[in-house]
Amino acid sequence: MNDATAQPLTEVEQIEVDLLLQAIATKYGHDLRGYRADSLKRRLRNALNKSGAGSFGDLQHRLLHDAHVFSNVLDALTVQVSEMFRDPTFYGSFRDRVVPILRTYPQLRIWHAGCSSGEEVYATAIVLQEEGLYDRSLIYATDLSPAALRRAQEGVYPAERLAIYASNYAASGGRRSFDHYYSLGYDHIAFSASLRRNVVFFDHDLVGDQIFGEMHAVFCRNVLIYFGRELRLNVMAKLASGICRGGFLLLGSAEQLSRHEERLGFTNFDPLQRIYRHPGKL
């Protein structure tokens, strides 16, 4: 973090930020006011620096009058951190412990909520292919940022990431050579179109939009940590209502359920890997 993003907001800046967030909620329907204040402040500073605007008030004026400016700001405000087979032991547990249970369902509905640039969506698709479940699976890949979704849908990433992707894949229990899944050219890797065949990409706001129902597995990894307590509990309640009986919630390594969230019915399935199971609508 640099000094600019670490600076506390002045009184005037705080007023401008409050008005900026209200403008985003009113004009574009995305209410970010329940996000954790510390992380939101850092990302707002980052968005301001990238925009070239002279103040938060100036930034508000620009995004109210130019949807393209808003799209760039939204991309900066939402956390875009992803990696193929991030936390390999997590994906090992998903393959070895969750997949055998998913195998008992005739059809699978899987949701990556907050999919960012899509690497973990492709990781899940690879596991499902190797375990013989991909053809009966439908994967929903959603994010708040349209720019992130475009990157996810393209499935093209810098070749400099290849070594860590391949290492993570092997460490997670991959069954094949990783180069089976991509083509290499012009300093980029492009994942096989077959991995997107049963994936639907579209923008979705966990805070304001309706939840999907009857999901067998919901990946919501390292998203909840950016929500304030009340907003997080509300989102968790929505996710719980969308999971089918015996379905799974899969969180990030930095996340775990609070006492209040456990009352929503979740049980620890693999506490170390932050994998939870839900009884569903009984």
Side-chain angles (χ1 to χ4, degrees):
M1 184 192 314
N2 59 39
D3 292 338
T5 57
Q7 293 175 14
L9 297 177
T10 67
E11 181 181 4
V12 170
E13 285 178 327
Q14 186 61 62
I15 293 171
E16 289 181 326
V17 163
D18 291 342
L19 292 173
L20 172 64
L21 295 176
Q22 180 179 331
I24 291 174
T26 303
K27 172 74 173 180
Y28 295 102
H30 296 302
D31 194 345
L32 307 176
R33 290 171 290 188
Y35 283 54
R36 281 177 46 195
D38 54 348
S39 63
L40 184 58
K41 182 196 75 173
R42 290 195 297 270
R43 285 178 280 150
L44 281 168
R45 288 277 193 201
N46 183 49
L48 179 63
N49 292 338
K50 287 183 175 181
S51 72
S55 67
F56 292 113
D58 182 22
L59 182 59
Q60 175 194 333
H61 177 81
R62 294 188 187 191
L63 67 82
L64 280 175
H65 292 85
D66 189 336
H68 181 69
V69 172
F70 169 70
S71 179
N72 291 336
V73 169
L74 187 62
D75 197 44
L77 288 180
T78 53
V79 181
Q80 306 300 334
V81 179
S82 190
E83 186 177 282
M84 285 290 294
F85 293 94
R86 177 169 50 173
D87 305 320
T89 54
F90 164 84
Y91 270 96
S93 181
F94 173 68
R95 184 192 293 269
D96 296 337
R97 300 193 60 192
V98 177
V99 164
I101 297 172
L102 296 182
R103 199 183 302 280
T104 65
Y105 296 97
Q107 301 292 326
L108 294 174
R109 289 161 56 91
I110 295 173
W111 180 18
H112 273 269
C115 72
S116 187
S117 49
E119 288 96 323
E120 291 190 74
V121 176
Y122 291 104
T124 300
I126 288 173
V127 172
L128 294 174
Q129 272 199 6
E130 293 183 347
E131 299 299 326
L133 296 180
Y134 188 79
D135 286 341
R136 51 181 159 124
S137 299
L138 180 60
I139 302 174
Y140 297 85
T142 69
D143 200 90
L144 183 62
S145 168
L149 282 171
R150 285 193 296 271
R151 294 191 290 270
Q153 192 162 13
E154 290 169 355
V156 177
Y157 305 99
E160 64 190 27
R161 303 181 187 175
L162 181 55
I164 187 63
Y165 289 177
S167 175
N168 286 351
Y169 167 72
S172 73
R175 310 286 197 225
R176 313 182 70 163
S177 173
F178 188 60
D179 60 14
H180 174 78
Y181 297 105
Y182 67 87
S183 57
L184 177 63
Y186 302 101
D187 297 322
H188 284 79
I189 57 174
F191 281 99
S192 169
S194 66
L195 296 175
R196 291 190 293 276
R197 178 165 40 87
N198 291 351
V199 182
V200 181
F201 295 91
F202 57 96
D203 63 304
H204 180 271
D205 184 353
L206 270 175
V207 175
D209 291 341
Q210 293 295 314
I211 217 73
F212 306 113
E214 295 303 307
M215 291 291 156
H216 298 92
V218 175
F219 290 76
C220 190
R221 307 195 68 221
N222 302 308
V223 175
L224 299 174
I225 56 175
Y226 299 103
F227 294 165
R229 178 180 174 182
E230 182 177 351
L231 176 58
R232 174 175 160 147
L233 185 58
N234 289 340
V235 169
M236 284 294 298
K238 291 171 70 174
L239 292 178
S241 70
I243 296 176
C244 72
R245 182 178 298 190
F248 294 90
L249 175 68
L250 304 101
L251 302 182
S253 59
E255 299 167 318
Q256 58 184 350
L257 297 187
S258 69
R259 183 176 67 256
H260 298 288
E261 291 162 348
E262 287 175 346
R263 293 173 185 167
L264 295 170
F266 290 102
T267 58
N268 280 305
F269 183 78
D270 186 340
L272 187 61
Q273 302 304 327
R274 307 296 193 255
I275 299 175
Y276 300 88
R277 205 168 182 191
H278 197 272
K281 299 175 183 177
L282 302 179

